[in-house]
mmCIF file of all heavy atoms in Angstrom:
data_model
loop_
_atom_site.group_PDB
_atom_site.id
_atom_site.type_symbol
_atom_site.label_atom_id
_atom_site.label_comp_id
_atom_site.label_asym_id
_atom_site.label_seq_id
_atom_site.Cartn_x
_atom_site.Cartn_y
_atom_site.Cartn_z
ATOM 1 N N ASP G 1 0.849 -1.191 0.000
ATOM 2 C CA ASP G 1 0.000 0.000 0.000
ATOM 3 C C ASP G 1 0.884 1.240 0.000
ATOM 4 O O ASP G 1 1.689 1.426 0.921
ATOM 5 C CB ASP G 1 -0.884 -0.017 1.252
ATOM 6 C CG ASP G 1 -1.866 1.142 1.286
ATOM 7 O OD1 ASP G 1 -1.667 2.135 0.554
ATOM 8 O OD2 ASP G 1 -2.821 1.063 2.054
ATOM 9 N N PRO G 2 0.764 2.110 -1.013
ATOM 10 C CA PRO G 2 1.599 3.306 -1.055
ATOM 11 C C PRO G 2 1.181 4.369 -0.061
ATOM 12 O O PRO G 2 1.811 5.405 0.036
ATOM 13 C CB PRO G 2 1.424 3.807 -2.495
ATOM 14 C CG PRO G 2 0.079 3.336 -2.880
ATOM 15 C CD PRO G 2 -0.113 2.013 -2.186
ATOM 16 N N GLY G 3 0.097 4.153 0.680
ATOM 17 C CA GLY G 3 -0.300 5.111 1.707
ATOM 18 C C GLY G 3 -1.378 6.048 1.250
ATOM 19 O O GLY G 3 -1.762 6.090 0.092
ATOM 20 N N VAL G 4 -1.887 6.836 2.192
ATOM 21 C CA VAL G 4 -3.001 7.737 1.930
ATOM 22 C C VAL G 4 -2.650 8.763 0.865
ATOM 23 O O VAL G 4 -3.485 9.162 0.061
ATOM 24 C CB VAL G 4 -3.425 8.448 3.228
ATOM 25 C CG1 VAL G 4 -4.503 9.492 2.948
ATOM 26 C CG2 VAL G 4 -3.939 7.438 4.235
ATOM 27 N N SER G 5 -1.423 9.195 0.814
ATOM 28 C CA SER G 5 -1.041 10.228 -0.139
ATOM 29 C C SER G 5 -0.938 9.699 -1.561
ATOM 30 O O SER G 5 -0.766 10.467 -2.493
ATOM 31 C CB SER G 5 0.299 10.856 0.266
ATOM 32 O OG SER G 5 0.161 11.516 1.497
ATOM 33 N N GLY G 6 -1.052 8.380 -1.719
ATOM 34 C CA GLY G 6 -1.080 7.817 -3.071
ATOM 35 C C GLY G 6 0.266 7.902 -3.745
ATOM 36 O O GLY G 6 1.302 7.653 -3.160
ATOM 37 N N GLY G 7 0.239 8.292 -5.031
ATOM 38 C CA GLY G 7 1.457 8.268 -5.815
ATOM 39 C C GLY G 7 1.605 6.923 -6.483
ATOM 40 O O GLY G 7 0.972 5.944 -6.104
ATOM 41 N N ARG G 8 2.419 6.840 -7.509
ATOM 42 C CA ARG G 8 2.599 5.581 -8.217
ATOM 43 C C ARG G 8 3.437 4.636 -7.371
ATOM 44 O O ARG G 8 4.116 5.018 -6.423
ATOM 45 C CB ARG G 8 3.262 5.820 -9.568
ATOM 46 C CG ARG G 8 2.515 6.772 -10.469
ATOM 47 C CD ARG G 8 1.112 6.297 -10.780
ATOM 48 N NE ARG G 8 1.124 5.135 -11.643
ATOM 49 C CZ ARG G 8 0.023 4.506 -12.053
ATOM 50 N NH1 ARG G 8 -1.164 4.911 -11.655
ATOM 51 N NH2 ARG G 8 0.110 3.462 -12.845
ATOM 52 N N GLY G 9 3.408 3.386 -7.713
ATOM 53 C CA GLY G 9 4.181 2.402 -6.989
ATOM 54 C C GLY G 9 3.299 1.508 -6.154
ATOM 55 O O GLY G 9 2.205 1.872 -5.756
ATOM 56 N N GLY G 10 3.782 0.312 -5.878
ATOM 57 C CA GLY G 10 3.023 -0.633 -5.082
ATOM 58 C C GLY G 10 2.210 -1.565 -5.937
ATOM 59 O O GLY G 10 1.770 -1.211 -7.028
ATOM 60 N N LEU G 11 2.022 -2.794 -5.454
ATOM 61 C CA LEU G 11 1.277 -3.803 -6.178
ATOM 62 C C LEU G 11 0.137 -4.323 -5.326
ATOM 63 O O LEU G 11 0.166 -4.242 -4.105
ATOM 64 C CB LEU G 11 2.188 -4.972 -6.564
ATOM 65 C CG LEU G 11 3.387 -4.670 -7.455
ATOM 66 C CD1 LEU G 11 4.210 -5.936 -7.655
ATOM 67 C CD2 LEU G 11 2.936 -4.115 -8.792
ATOM 68 N N VAL G 12 -0.852 -4.885 -5.985
ATOM 69 C CA VAL G 12 -1.949 -5.558 -5.302
ATOM 70 C C VAL G 12 -2.139 -6.907 -5.967
ATOM 71 O O VAL G 12 -1.909 -7.060 -7.174
ATOM 72 C CB VAL G 12 -3.237 -4.700 -5.353
ATOM 73 C CG1 VAL G 12 -3.714 -4.515 -6.782
ATOM 74 C CG2 VAL G 12 -4.328 -5.301 -4.488
ATOM 75 N N MET G 13 -2.533 -7.912 -5.184
ATOM 76 C CA MET G 13 -2.748 -9.246 -5.708
ATOM 77 C C MET G 13 -4.248 -9.473 -5.888
ATOM 78 O O MET G 13 -5.040 -9.201 -4.991
ATOM 79 C CB MET G 13 -2.179 -10.292 -4.742
ATOM 80 C CG MET G 13 -0.725 -10.064 -4.377
ATOM 81 S SD MET G 13 0.386 -10.151 -5.805
ATOM 82 C CE MET G 13 0.242 -11.874 -6.236
ATOM 83 N N ARG G 14 -4.634 -9.982 -7.078
ATOM 84 C CA ARG G 14 -6.048 -10.201 -7.380
ATOM 85 C C ARG G 14 -6.272 -11.657 -7.809
ATOM 86 O O ARG G 14 -5.606 -12.140 -8.734
ATOM 87 C CB ARG G 14 -6.498 -9.288 -8.527
ATOM 88 C CG ARG G 14 -6.460 -7.794 -8.234
ATOM 89 C CD ARG G 14 -7.584 -7.382 -7.291
ATOM 90 N NE ARG G 14 -7.187 -7.453 -5.897
ATOM 91 C CZ ARG G 14 -8.035 -7.331 -4.884
ATOM 92 N NH1 ARG G 14 -9.318 -7.190 -5.106
ATOM 93 N NH2 ARG G 14 -7.589 -7.386 -3.653
ATOM 94 N N PRO G 15 -7.212 -12.371 -7.170
ATOM 95 C CA PRO G 15 -7.484 -13.755 -7.554
ATOM 96 C C PRO G 15 -8.480 -13.837 -8.708
ATOM 97 O O PRO G 15 -9.514 -13.167 -8.704
ATOM 98 C CB PRO G 15 -8.096 -14.343 -6.278
ATOM 99 C CG PRO G 15 -8.773 -13.184 -5.611
ATOM 100 C CD PRO G 15 -7.983 -11.953 -5.982
ATOM 101 N N VAL G 16 -8.157 -14.650 -9.707
ATOM 102 C CA VAL G 16 -9.069 -14.893 -10.839
ATOM 103 C C VAL G 16 -8.938 -16.355 -11.253
ATOM 104 O O VAL G 16 -7.841 -16.803 -11.608
ATOM 105 C CB VAL G 16 -8.748 -13.989 -12.055
ATOM 106 C CG1 VAL G 16 -9.734 -14.265 -13.182
ATOM 107 C CG2 VAL G 16 -8.767 -12.523 -11.668
ATOM 108 N N LYS G 17 -10.019 -17.108 -11.183
ATOM 109 C CA LYS G 17 -10.048 -18.489 -11.661
ATOM 110 C C LYS G 17 -8.870 -19.294 -11.117
ATOM 111 O O LYS G 17 -8.131 -19.935 -11.858
ATOM 112 C CB LYS G 17 -10.069 -18.518 -13.191
ATOM 113 C CG LYS G 17 -11.374 -18.017 -13.784
ATOM 114 C CD LYS G 17 -11.302 -17.874 -15.306
ATOM 115 C CE LYS G 17 -11.108 -19.202 -15.995
ATOM 116 N NZ LYS G 17 -12.309 -20.086 -15.868
ATOM 117 N N GLU G 18 -8.694 -19.256 -9.803
ATOM 118 C CA GLU G 18 -7.674 -20.021 -9.088
ATOM 119 C C GLU G 18 -6.245 -19.597 -9.419
ATOM 120 O O GLU G 18 -5.291 -20.322 -9.131
ATOM 121 C CB GLU G 18 -7.855 -21.525 -9.335
ATOM 122 C CG GLU G 18 -9.224 -22.037 -8.871
ATOM 123 C CD GLU G 18 -9.406 -23.528 -9.106
ATOM 124 O OE1 GLU G 18 -8.519 -24.129 -9.760
ATOM 125 O OE2 GLU G 18 -10.405 -24.084 -8.636
ATOM 126 N N LYS G 19 -6.099 -18.441 -10.044
ATOM 127 C CA LYS G 19 -4.771 -17.871 -10.271
ATOM 128 C C LYS G 19 -4.695 -16.520 -9.559
ATOM 129 O O LYS G 19 -5.722 -15.888 -9.293
ATOM 130 C CB LYS G 19 -4.477 -17.703 -11.761
ATOM 131 C CG LYS G 19 -4.421 -19.025 -12.531
ATOM 132 C CD LYS G 19 -4.036 -18.805 -13.971
ATOM 133 C CE LYS G 19 -4.088 -20.094 -14.777
ATOM 134 N NZ LYS G 19 -3.101 -21.097 -14.291
ATOM 135 N N MET G 20 -3.486 -16.082 -9.258
ATOM 136 C CA MET G 20 -3.292 -14.811 -8.577
ATOM 137 C C MET G 20 -2.513 -13.866 -9.486
ATOM 138 O O MET G 20 -1.414 -14.197 -9.933
ATOM 139 C CB MET G 20 -2.542 -15.020 -7.259
ATOM 140 C CG MET G 20 -2.614 -13.845 -6.315
ATOM 141 S SD MET G 20 -4.268 -13.497 -5.656
ATOM 142 C CE MET G 20 -4.536 -14.902 -4.583
ATOM 143 N N LEU G 21 -3.106 -12.707 -9.788
ATOM 144 C CA LEU G 21 -2.476 -11.741 -10.683
ATOM 145 C C LEU G 21 -1.976 -10.537 -9.900
ATOM 146 O O LEU G 21 -2.645 -10.055 -8.974
ATOM 147 C CB LEU G 21 -3.470 -11.250 -11.744
ATOM 148 C CG LEU G 21 -3.756 -12.158 -12.939
ATOM 149 C CD1 LEU G 21 -4.698 -13.280 -12.533
ATOM 150 C CD2 LEU G 21 -4.345 -11.356 -14.077
ATOM 151 N N ARG G 22 -0.815 -10.040 -10.306
ATOM 152 C CA ARG G 22 -0.301 -8.778 -9.774
ATOM 153 C C ARG G 22 -0.822 -7.634 -10.629
ATOM 154 O O ARG G 22 -0.890 -7.759 -11.843
ATOM 155 C CB ARG G 22 1.231 -8.770 -9.806
ATOM 156 C CG ARG G 22 1.870 -9.802 -8.942
ATOM 157 C CD ARG G 22 3.268 -10.149 -9.424
ATOM 158 N NE ARG G 22 3.830 -11.232 -8.636
ATOM 159 C CZ ARG G 22 3.510 -12.521 -8.808
ATOM 160 N NH1 ARG G 22 2.656 -12.877 -9.753
ATOM 161 N NH2 ARG G 22 4.047 -13.450 -8.047
ATOM 162 N N ALA G 23 -1.153 -6.526 -9.975
ATOM 163 C CA ALA G 23 -1.600 -5.327 -10.691
ATOM 164 C C ALA G 23 -1.079 -4.106 -9.954
ATOM 165 O O ALA G 23 -0.868 -4.154 -8.734
ATOM 166 C CB ALA G 23 -3.125 -5.285 -10.771
ATOM 167 N N PRO G 24 -0.856 -2.989 -10.660
ATOM 168 C CA PRO G 24 -0.430 -1.765 -9.974
ATOM 169 C C PRO G 24 -1.478 -1.319 -8.951
ATOM 170 O O PRO G 24 -2.679 -1.330 -9.243
ATOM 171 C CB PRO G 24 -0.301 -0.742 -11.112
ATOM 172 C CG PRO G 24 -0.109 -1.566 -12.340
ATOM 173 C CD PRO G 24 -0.915 -2.808 -12.129
ATOM 174 N N PHE G 25 -1.035 -0.958 -7.772
ATOM 175 C CA PHE G 25 -1.965 -0.556 -6.713
ATOM 176 C C PHE G 25 -2.847 0.593 -7.161
ATOM 177 O O PHE G 25 -4.031 0.647 -6.856
ATOM 178 C CB PHE G 25 -1.179 -0.160 -5.452
ATOM 179 C CG PHE G 25 -2.041 -0.042 -4.232
ATOM 180 C CD1 PHE G 25 -2.161 -1.100 -3.347
ATOM 181 C CD2 PHE G 25 -2.739 1.124 -3.962
ATOM 182 C CE1 PHE G 25 -2.970 -1.003 -2.222
ATOM 183 C CE2 PHE G 25 -3.548 1.229 -2.843
ATOM 184 C CZ PHE G 25 -3.664 0.163 -1.974
ATOM 185 N N GLN G 26 -2.283 1.535 -7.892
ATOM 186 C CA GLN G 26 -3.036 2.697 -8.352
ATOM 187 C C GLN G 26 -3.654 2.480 -9.740
ATOM 188 O O GLN G 26 -4.254 3.398 -10.295
ATOM 189 C CB GLN G 26 -2.118 3.928 -8.409
ATOM 190 C CG GLN G 26 -1.504 4.314 -7.083
ATOM 191 C CD GLN G 26 -2.509 4.940 -6.134
ATOM 192 O OE1 GLN G 26 -3.468 5.559 -6.570
ATOM 193 N NE2 GLN G 26 -2.288 4.785 -4.845
ATOM 194 N N GLY G 27 -3.530 1.287 -10.280
ATOM 195 C CA GLY G 27 -3.973 1.037 -11.646
ATOM 196 C C GLY G 27 -5.364 0.444 -11.732
ATOM 197 O O GLY G 27 -6.105 0.343 -10.756
ATOM 198 N N PHE G 28 -5.697 0.000 -12.957
ATOM 199 C CA PHE G 28 -7.029 -0.539 -13.233
ATOM 200 C C PHE G 28 -7.043 -2.047 -13.079
ATOM 201 O O PHE G 28 -6.094 -2.731 -13.460
ATOM 202 C CB PHE G 28 -7.456 -0.179 -14.669
ATOM 203 C CG PHE G 28 -8.719 -0.873 -15.109
ATOM 204 C CD1 PHE G 28 -9.963 -0.391 -14.718
ATOM 205 C CD2 PHE G 28 -8.662 -2.021 -15.882
ATOM 206 C CE1 PHE G 28 -11.131 -1.041 -15.107
ATOM 207 C CE2 PHE G 28 -9.825 -2.670 -16.282
ATOM 208 C CZ PHE G 28 -11.056 -2.179 -15.888
ATOM 209 N N PHE G 29 -8.143 -2.540 -12.515
ATOM 210 C CA PHE G 29 -8.431 -3.973 -12.524
ATOM 211 C C PHE G 29 -9.939 -4.129 -12.411
ATOM 212 O O PHE G 29 -10.607 -3.323 -11.758
ATOM 213 C CB PHE G 29 -7.732 -4.705 -11.368
ATOM 214 C CG PHE G 29 -7.603 -6.189 -11.601
ATOM 215 C CD1 PHE G 29 -6.537 -6.701 -12.318
ATOM 216 C CD2 PHE G 29 -8.553 -7.070 -11.115
ATOM 217 C CE1 PHE G 29 -6.420 -8.063 -12.559
ATOM 218 C CE2 PHE G 29 -8.448 -8.429 -11.345
ATOM 219 C CZ PHE G 29 -7.376 -8.930 -12.064
ATOM 220 N N GLN G 30 -10.500 -5.152 -13.062
ATOM 221 C CA GLN G 30 -11.944 -5.351 -13.034
ATOM 222 C C GLN G 30 -12.443 -5.403 -11.590
ATOM 223 O O GLN G 30 -11.915 -6.136 -10.762
ATOM 224 C CB GLN G 30 -12.325 -6.630 -13.771
ATOM 225 C CG GLN G 30 -12.060 -6.584 -15.258
ATOM 226 C CD GLN G 30 -12.954 -5.596 -15.999
ATOM 227 O OE1 GLN G 30 -14.009 -5.211 -15.517
ATOM 228 N NE2 GLN G 30 -12.522 -5.190 -17.177
ATOM 229 N N ALA G 31 -13.499 -4.617 -11.301
ATOM 230 C CA ALA G 31 -13.905 -4.391 -9.918
ATOM 231 C C ALA G 31 -14.743 -5.513 -9.327
ATOM 232 O O ALA G 31 -14.722 -5.728 -8.117
ATOM 233 C CB ALA G 31 -14.684 -3.080 -9.815
ATOM 234 N N ASN G 32 -15.515 -6.244 -10.147
ATOM 235 C CA ASN G 32 -16.443 -7.238 -9.615
ATOM 236 C C ASN G 32 -15.716 -8.555 -9.373
ATOM 237 O O ASN G 32 -15.544 -9.371 -10.271
ATOM 238 C CB ASN G 32 -17.615 -7.449 -10.571
ATOM 239 C CG ASN G 32 -18.746 -8.245 -9.947
ATOM 240 O OD1 ASN G 32 -18.524 -9.186 -9.200
ATOM 241 N ND2 ASN G 32 -19.971 -7.866 -10.261
ATOM 242 N N SER G 33 -15.310 -8.766 -8.132
ATOM 243 C CA SER G 33 -14.529 -9.956 -7.794
ATOM 244 C C SER G 33 -15.321 -11.231 -8.023
ATOM 245 O O SER G 33 -14.745 -12.286 -8.315
ATOM 246 C CB SER G 33 -14.089 -9.879 -6.327
ATOM 247 O OG SER G 33 -13.378 -8.689 -6.075
ATOM 248 N N ALA G 34 -16.656 -11.175 -7.900
ATOM 249 C CA ALA G 34 -17.497 -12.362 -8.015
ATOM 250 C C ALA G 34 -17.776 -12.749 -9.463
ATOM 251 O O ALA G 34 -18.217 -13.873 -9.715
ATOM 252 C CB ALA G 34 -18.821 -12.139 -7.284
ATOM 253 N N LEU G 35 -17.516 -11.854 -10.413
ATOM 254 C CA LEU G 35 -17.934 -12.091 -11.798
ATOM 255 C C LEU G 35 -16.790 -12.030 -12.795
ATOM 256 O O LEU G 35 -16.971 -12.374 -13.969
ATOM 257 C CB LEU G 35 -19.008 -11.062 -12.182
ATOM 258 C CG LEU G 35 -19.913 -11.351 -13.380
ATOM 259 C CD1 LEU G 35 -20.568 -12.719 -13.253
ATOM 260 C CD2 LEU G 35 -20.966 -10.268 -13.511
ATOM 261 N N VAL G 36 -15.606 -11.649 -12.361
ATOM 262 C CA VAL G 36 -14.504 -11.475 -13.301
ATOM 263 C C VAL G 36 -14.144 -12.791 -13.982
ATOM 264 O O VAL G 36 -13.773 -12.822 -15.166
ATOM 265 C CB VAL G 36 -13.278 -10.842 -12.598
ATOM 266 C CG1 VAL G 36 -12.705 -11.750 -11.526
ATOM 267 C CG2 VAL G 36 -12.214 -10.465 -13.612
ATOM 268 N N GLY G 37 -14.291 -13.918 -13.282
ATOM 269 C CA GLY G 37 -14.014 -15.209 -13.893
ATOM 270 C C GLY G 37 -14.968 -15.523 -15.035
ATOM 271 O O GLY G 37 -14.558 -16.054 -16.078
ATOM 272 N N SER G 38 -16.249 -15.180 -14.862
ATOM 273 C CA SER G 38 -17.239 -15.384 -15.928
ATOM 274 C C SER G 38 -16.938 -14.492 -17.125
ATOM 275 O O SER G 38 -17.158 -14.891 -18.279
ATOM 276 C CB SER G 38 -18.647 -15.092 -15.402
ATOM 277 O OG SER G 38 -19.001 -16.002 -14.389
ATOM 278 N N MET G 39 -16.432 -13.290 -16.849
ATOM 279 C CA MET G 39 -16.065 -12.389 -17.934
ATOM 280 C C MET G 39 -14.908 -12.983 -18.749
ATOM 281 O O MET G 39 -14.927 -12.968 -19.990
ATOM 282 C CB MET G 39 -15.670 -11.037 -17.362
ATOM 283 C CG MET G 39 -15.309 -10.003 -18.401
ATOM 284 S SD MET G 39 -14.798 -8.476 -17.598
ATOM 285 C CE MET G 39 -14.467 -7.471 -19.031
ATOM 286 N N VAL G 40 -13.910 -13.521 -18.059
ATOM 287 C CA VAL G 40 -12.786 -14.173 -18.740
ATOM 288 C C VAL G 40 -13.292 -15.345 -19.569
ATOM 289 O O VAL G 40 -12.874 -15.541 -20.718
ATOM 290 C CB VAL G 40 -11.732 -14.629 -17.711
ATOM 291 C CG1 VAL G 40 -10.683 -15.525 -18.379
ATOM 292 C CG2 VAL G 40 -11.054 -13.422 -17.064
ATOM 293 N N ASP G 41 -14.223 -16.125 -19.020
ATOM 294 C CA ASP G 41 -14.776 -17.259 -19.756
ATOM 295 C C ASP G 41 -15.475 -16.804 -21.042
ATOM 296 O O ASP G 41 -15.386 -17.475 -22.079
ATOM 297 C CB ASP G 41 -15.772 -18.029 -18.880
ATOM 298 C CG ASP G 41 -15.094 -18.818 -17.773
ATOM 299 O OD1 ASP G 41 -13.884 -19.089 -17.891
ATOM 300 O OD2 ASP G 41 -15.775 -19.150 -16.773
#
């Protein structure tokens, strides 16, 4: 977590279909955790 002040840097781990993806903490990732697997399908 880069902290309250934000700024670039930092990663977040996101689970999708039994895999774990890294993404930029301040970047974009599909928001619906319950449906992203169906979207990939």
Side-chain angles (χ1 to χ4, degrees):
D1 184 342
V4 175
S5 296
R8 303 301 290 179
L11 300 177
V12 63
M13 306 298 293
R14 295 287 90 190
V16 181
K17 291 172 65 68
E18 300 180 353
K19 296 184 185 296
M20 196 66 69
L21 281 77
R22 296 156 185 78
F25 193 96
Q26 300 287 331
F28 171 80
F29 200 85
Q30 293 293 339
N32 192 322
S33 304
L35 199 53
V36 64
S38 296
M39 182 182 181
V40 170
D41 288 340

